[in-house]
């Protein structure tokens, strides 16, 4: 059974609604479908839909007006993405495009190799930026171990200048023996260097939101190190934190 097949019904509904919201289906005050309409669409109970709406309200994605309906919370024109799962990260492909600036290539990078826990200094690296509604908002450098990168090396999506709706982890997953189950993440602030400034059209030294993610598979093997620099004026990061026990 895949992770998607074992996903709770309310999470499936909230994920689908987030994808529709991110794609702009409910802009400018357009009301979301009712509980009854969604229950019929997804063949689930109204209680399941209600739980999905509760999740979206809790993380600020939507708000509900008694007697009127459910509406999207405005985000002041920034790219807004709720991250709560590996699936959410893969779903970046639903409303943004990936443009490859530096193709997947073999190189020596001692720091990246160390973070990937390799016994060699050789990694495979690709540099890309993501674009939302014509505006680049993040530049990402992805480092991969050689055995993980090899099945991807000839893929047209990681050639220089390629533009697609994919994510790197989305491209990797079908080629892996074991699925991605974890992303260890750190968030800091860092100034833009010349490469970032050129890629995102900002000035060198511009404050950036830096997010590092170290992806692991079900066997605990580290398979991907992604280092991303986001333009804060074009990006809002949101995550929901819940108590582990009541």
């Amino acid at each position: 059974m895949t992770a998607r097949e074992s996903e709770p019904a309310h999470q499936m509904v909230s994920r689908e609604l987030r994808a529709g919201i991110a794609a702009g289906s409910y802009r400018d005050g357009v009301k979301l479908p009712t509980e009854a309409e969604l229950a019929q669409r997804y063949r689930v109970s109204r209680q399941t839909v209600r739980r999905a709406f509760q999740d979206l309200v809790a993380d600020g994605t939507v708000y509900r007006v008694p007697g009127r309906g459910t509406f999207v919370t405005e985000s002041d024109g920034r790219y807004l993405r709720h991250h709560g799962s590996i699936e959410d990260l893969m779903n970046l492909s639903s409303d943004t495009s990936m443009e490859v600036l530096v193709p997947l290539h073999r190189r020596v990078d001692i720091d990246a190799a160390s973070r990937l826990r390799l016994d060699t200094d050789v990694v495979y690296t690709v540099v890309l930026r993501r674009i939302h509604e014509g505006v680049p908002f993040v530049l990402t450098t992805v480092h991969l171990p050689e055995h993980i990168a090899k099945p991807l090396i000839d893929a047209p999506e990681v050639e220089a200048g390629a533009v697609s709706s994919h994510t790197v982890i989305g491209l990797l997953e079908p080629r892996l023996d074991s699925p991605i189950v974890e992303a260890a993440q750190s968030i800091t602030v860092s100034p833009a260097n010349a490469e970032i400034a050129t890629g995102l059209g900002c000035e060198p030294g511009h404050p950036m939101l830096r997010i590092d993610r170290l992806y692991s598979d079900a066997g605990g093997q580290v398979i991907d190190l992604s280092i991303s620099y986001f333009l804060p004026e074009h990006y809002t990061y949101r995550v929901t934190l819940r108590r582990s026990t009541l």
Side-chain angles (χ1 to χ4, degrees):
M1 180 180 294
T2 66
R4 184 62 58 86
E5 290 172 337
S6 63
E7 182 180 30
H10 75 277
Q11 291 183 6
M12 178 274 293
V13 174
S14 62
R15 172 173 53 77
E16 291 289 336
L17 289 174
R18 283 194 184 98
I21 291 168
S25 300
Y26 307 106
R27 288 179 181 167
D28 303 320
V30 175
K31 184 170 63 175
L32 272 71
T34 65
E35 289 180 2
E37 290 169 338
L38 290 171
Q40 182 176 19
R41 178 188 302 179
Y42 295 111
R43 299 182 180 180
V44 297
S45 69
R46 290 187 61 171
Q47 181 60 35
T48 295
V49 175
R50 191 170 299 118
R51 173 73 185 279
F53 272 143
Q54 288 171 349
D55 289 349
L56 295 177
V57 170
D59 62 40
T61 301
V62 303
Y63 63 96
R64 310 194 77 178
V65 180
R68 289 188 55 207
T70 305
F71 302 87
V72 175
T73 303
E74 297 297 327
S75 59
D76 300 325
R78 298 183 182 188
Y79 179 68
L80 172 63
R81 170 61 71 180
H82 173 275
H83 294 304
S85 68
I86 298 297
E87 286 81 6
D88 289 334
L89 295 175
M90 289 183 177
N91 280 340
L92 279 168
S93 60
S94 67
D95 59 337
T96 70
S97 57
M98 178 179 80
E99 180 183 3
V100 176
L101 303 180
V102 180
L104 186 62
H105 63 286
R106 186 178 187 272
R107 64 194 295 262
V108 173
D109 190 314
I110 296 174
D111 180 65
S114 175
R115 296 181 67 182
L116 287 167
R117 304 172 192 168
L118 302 178
D119 56 7
T120 172
D121 295 334
V122 174
V123 299
Y124 279 70
T125 300
V126 59
V127 180
L128 57 96
R129 63 181 179 180
R130 298 205 74 87
I131 299 170
H132 177 62
E133 296 184 345
V135 179
F137 65 93
V138 57
L139 187 141
T140 300
T141 301
V142 178
H143 302 289
L144 305 171
E146 184 170 14
H147 70 283
I148 297 294
K150 279 296 183 67
L152 198 62
I153 194 69
D154 294 323
E157 295 88 350
V158 292
E159 294 178 352
V163 178
S164 70
S165 61
H166 295 281
T167 62
V168 173
I169 57 173
L171 290 170
L172 282 175
E173 181 112 289
R175 298 170 167 86
L176 297 175
D177 296 329
S178 181
I180 299 169
V181 299
E182 181 179 281
Q185 176 174 278
S186 64
I187 303 175
T188 56
V189 175
S190 181
N193 61 23
E195 179 186 34
I196 296 166
T198 299
L200 297 180
C202 64
E203 292 295 324
H206 185 81
M208 308 295 293
L209 180 67
R210 172 174 168 166
I211 300 180
D212 293 20
R213 295 191 180 106
L214 201 60
Y215 294 90
S216 302
D217 65 16
Q221 180 183 28
V222 178
I223 63 167
D224 178 315
L225 169 63
S226 298
I227 302 173
S228 299
Y229 293 87
F230 292 84
L231 277 170
E233 59 265 42
H234 293 307
Y235 181 76
T236 296
Y237 180 89
R238 178 175 290 160
V239 64
T240 299
L241 303 176
R242 293 187 174 90
R243 295 182 65 145
S244 58
T245 59
L246 295 177

